[in-house]
């Protein structure tokens, strides 16, 4: 973790260590508490953590899923239900974008009847949290057609209920915003702050 300051000189601090790859730390706030779902595909789990000493100390609350390798899990609270966008990594490198729904943050999950949302590499993985903007819900996804995390596609969620889902693609961010980039694969916004990455 690195605190964002005007001078940019804050030290980097380690908040989690694991025997495998940790990535996509999806951090969100609910009912006055901070939570995080880090990607722990190496353990074939999806774990929910609570920031009891936010932002440096995290306590595991529960395991939301166990068995298949699920990556880039992104929760969304909408009109009285929890939704979890996630991606299953299948044999042969295939990736399937899935949606689950739950009455509670801690689960249990149930498969959404619109699954799979996508088997297309152009929209196979989440690229950040769903953002509410001017009454719209915008969901960033990764376009992996040319390479892993090549570009970000922005989709507007038009309909989302426990039994229905519709969206449409409304824009994209290609890795051309800085010289020498080969990919740009996550985008998040909090207040007036936007954060996105690039790989050279």
């Amino acid at each position: 973790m690195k605190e964002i300051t005007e001078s940019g000189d804050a030290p980097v601090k380690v908040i989690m260590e694991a025997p495998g790859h940790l990535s996509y730390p999806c951090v969100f706030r609910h009912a006055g508490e901070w939570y995080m779902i880090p990607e722990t595909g190496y353990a074939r789990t999806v774990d929910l953590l609570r920031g009891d000493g936010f932002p440096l100390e995290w306590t595991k609350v529960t395991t939301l899923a166990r068995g298949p390798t699920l990556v880039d899990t992104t929760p969304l609270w909408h009109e009285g239900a929890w939704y979890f966008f996630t991606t299953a990594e299948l044999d042969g490198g295939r990736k399937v974008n899935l949606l689950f729904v739950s009455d509670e943050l801690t689960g249990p999950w149930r498969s959404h009847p619109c699954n799979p949302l996508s088997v297309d590499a152009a929209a196979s993985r989440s690229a950040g949290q769903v953002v509410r903007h001017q009454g719209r819900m915008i969901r960033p996804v990764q376009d992996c057609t040319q390479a892993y995390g090549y570009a970000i596609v922005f989709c507007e969620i038009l309909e989302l209920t426990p039994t229905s889902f519709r969206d449409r693609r409304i824009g994209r961010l290609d890795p051309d915003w800085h010289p020498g980039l080969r990919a740009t694969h996550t985008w998040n916004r909090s207040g007036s702050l936007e954060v996105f990455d690039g790989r050279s």
Side-chain angles (χ1 to χ4, degrees):
M1 182 203 81
K2 181 173 177 137
E3 183 179 359
I4 297 174
T5 64
E6 290 186 9
S7 64
D9 59 357
V12 174
K13 298 178 181 178
V14 176
I15 64 169
M16 284 186 69
E17 290 185 293
H21 178 64
L22 285 170
S23 68
Y24 201 85
C26 192
V27 178
F28 59 100
R29 193 165 174 82
H30 175 63
E33 301 274 7
W34 286 101
Y35 292 92
M36 174 168 57
I37 301 177
E39 181 186 304
T40 51
Y42 72 92
R44 300 175 72 88
T45 64
V46 177
D47 296 327
L48 176 69
L49 283 67
R50 184 178 58 241
D52 291 334
F54 181 84
L56 298 177
E57 298 175 7
W58 296 86
T59 303
K60 181 178 173 180
V61 177
T62 189
T63 294
L64 300 174
R66 190 184 306 276
T69 299
L70 299 174
V71 299
D72 303 337
T73 300
T74 306
L76 171 66
W77 170 255
H78 178 62
E79 296 184 346
W82 279 101
Y83 297 90
F84 300 87
F85 297 91
T86 193
T87 298
E89 293 190 335
L90 306 179
D91 294 339
R94 292 184 302 124
K95 293 176 176 56
V96 178
N97 196 223
L98 301 172
L99 177 61
F100 291 84
V101 61
S102 175
D103 299 324
E104 303 289 342
L105 174 59
T106 53
W109 296 11
R110 56 187 184 274
S111 179
H112 195 279
C114 291
N115 279 330
L117 298 188
S118 176
V119 295
D120 183 358
S124 61
R125 301 176 68 142
S126 295
Q129 294 192 40
V130 176
V131 171
R132 299 179 191 272
H133 179 66
Q134 297 180 347
R136 305 162 78 186
M137 289 193 296
I138 310 299
R139 177 179 173 242
V141 298
Q142 297 180 37
D143 180 346
C144 298
T145 52
Q146 298 190 44
Y148 162 64
Y150 172 74
I152 300 167
V153 176
F154 296 96
C155 301
E156 180 184 4
I157 298 175
L158 302 173
E159 183 179 355
L160 178 61
T161 74
T163 58
S164 63
F165 175 80
R166 287 189 304 117
D167 69 351
R168 63 172 179 164
R169 299 177 190 183
I170 59 172
R172 64 182 287 125
L173 178 64
D174 286 295
D176 56 7
W177 47 269
H178 190 274
L181 290 183
R182 293 186 292 123
T184 180
H185 90 306
T186 58
W187 175 90
N188 279 285
R189 192 187 76 177
S190 178
S192 62
L193 182 67
E194 285 186 63
V195 179
F196 48 98
D197 64 3
R199 177 165 56 89
S200 58

